[in-house]
Amino acid sequence: MLRVEDLSIQYGGIRAVRGISFTVEKGKITALIGNNGAGKSSTLKAISNLVTPAQGRIVFEGRDITGLRPEKIARDIGIIHIPEGRHVFPELTVRENLLISFSSRTVSKREFMSEMQAVFERFPVLEQRQKQSAGTLSGGEQQILAIARGVLQKPYLLILDEPSMGLAPLIVEEVFEIIREINRGGVTVFLVEQNAQMALSTADTGYVLESGEIILQGSAEALMEDPQVKKIYLGEE
Ligand code: ATP
């Protein structure tokens, strides 16, 4: 579905990403794991064109989308990016945060009602808290809200930047179960994570990014058995 070819990202003198290539297969969950500063967020931002690559191409379903405006990538191509740190609007209520997802689409009142109802059925915590300002939600609830907003934008490809960040282990499990469920519903997922254990146990395929380069790739299962991954990323001897 997505092919990233020879991508390099440079910030002044810093080469954050160094000529990486990878693919995201349709219908699957693909994970990009790596430590702090490896270049994971930069890679996602290049896909959404929130940073301009120094070099490389982003190809989605055979179409070169490199340089397409970010709002077109979201609205017309259907690549929805849930950024690190979630970025909900803290002063707005949960419901208002959800309403914003409709601003780039034309829907009838009936469609709107049924989509809101579906979101509340899928994420009951958001229905309970729909009148609460989003800034007062727990970290996990904010992540669920950010994901729900993404779902309302009808993605073909959902890209998530560290969905586990700052969350307690039990909530991380819940958030990843939601991600698996969205994927089972037909949405392709590409996620970046420092939490290699969670990412690889969820994904079909994985890539390991270190200092801007892909050093390992394979099925998530094989990566979990890789001695280097075990030692450095899973904390096993
Ligand atoms: P983290 O998990 O900590 O978010 P990451 O793997 O997502 O890390 P990036 O955020 O992509 O890594 O950063 C890669 C490198 O690029 C880092 O050295 C970072 O300091 C640098 N960098 C990222 N954004 C910018 C920027 N806007 N200006 C300058 N340097 C940047």
Side-chain angles (χ1 to χ4, degrees):
M1 181 177 242
L2 181 79
R3 208 168 67 238
V4 171
E5 296 174 359
D6 203 19
L7 175 71
S8 291
I9 300 165
Q10 189 121 5
Y11 301 107
I14 298 168
R15 286 185 67 207
V17 174
R18 303 162 178 248
I20 63 170
S21 298
F22 61 91
T23 56
V24 173
E25 214 181 311
K26 197 171 190 161
K28 299 279 166 71
I29 301 180
T30 303
L32 179 67
I33 62 166
N35 287 331
N36 248 328
K40 304 181 300 298
S41 296
S42 299
T43 301
L44 286 194
K45 286 178 190 163
I47 295 170
S48 300
N49 199 19
L50 298 170
V51 297
T52 304
Q55 172 193 306
R57 284 201 326 151
I58 316 291
V59 180
F60 183 79
E61 304 236 87
R63 173 177 174 194
D64 187 345
I65 61 163
T66 326
L68 214 62
R69 288 206 312 275
E71 66 271 23
K72 276 195 160 265
I73 292 175
R75 191 186 55 212
D76 300 346
I77 305 295
I79 299 178
I80 300 299
H81 183 162
I82 301 180
E84 188 174 351
R86 312 182 265 270
H87 296 272
V88 297
F89 294 98
E91 307 294 334
L92 300 184
T93 64
V94 167
R95 188 179 174 83
E96 287 163 345
N97 266 275
L98 293 171
L99 294 185
I100 288 170
S101 312
F102 291 93
S103 58
S104 60
R105 302 168 45 206
T106 311
V107 288
S108 67
K109 187 165 181 194
R110 206 188 158 130
E111 281 169 325
F112 166 76
M113 301 288 278
S114 95
E115 287 189 32
M116 284 295 276
Q117 193 184 340
V119 136
F120 285 147
E121 270 166 25
R122 196 171 203 177
F123 310 107
V125 67
L126 299 182
E127 182 168 33
Q128 287 157 19
R129 300 186 178 257
Q130 54 176 306
K131 294 193 180 125
Q132 186 173 326
S133 59
T136 62
L137 295 176
S138 72
E141 289 160 354
Q142 287 188 25
Q143 185 60 269
I144 292 170
L145 175 57
I147 293 174
R149 270 192 339 199
V151 169
L152 279 173
Q153 291 175 76
K154 304 248 175 237
Y156 293 118
L157 172 63
L158 189 65
I159 62 182
L160 297 118
D161 196 343
E162 296 218 21
S164 79
M165 198 180 71
L167 303 182
L170 229 91
I171 313 296
V172 171
E173 293 279 352
E174 193 183 326
V175 166
F176 272 83
E177 183 46 42
I178 288 171
I179 294 169
R180 282 191 285 266
E181 194 200 307
I182 291 169
N183 173 252
R184 284 195 293 269
V187 179
T188 306
V189 173
F190 181 47
L191 57 93
V192 310
E193 261 300 340
Q194 274 189 56
N195 185 337
Q197 174 72 45
M198 211 55 231
L200 293 178
S201 57
T202 302
D204 300 290
T205 306
Y207 293 89
V208 181
L209 192 65
E210 201 174 279
S211 305
E213 291 180 80
I214 289 176
I215 56 156
L216 285 169
Q217 65 187 76
S219 73
E221 225 167 301
L223 283 177
M224 280 186 98
E225 293 305 318
D226 182 277
Q228 204 178 344
V229 172
K230 274 187 163 173
K231 186 159 185 259
I232 303 176
Y233 299 98
L234 301 174
E236 297 170 22
E237 281 308 319

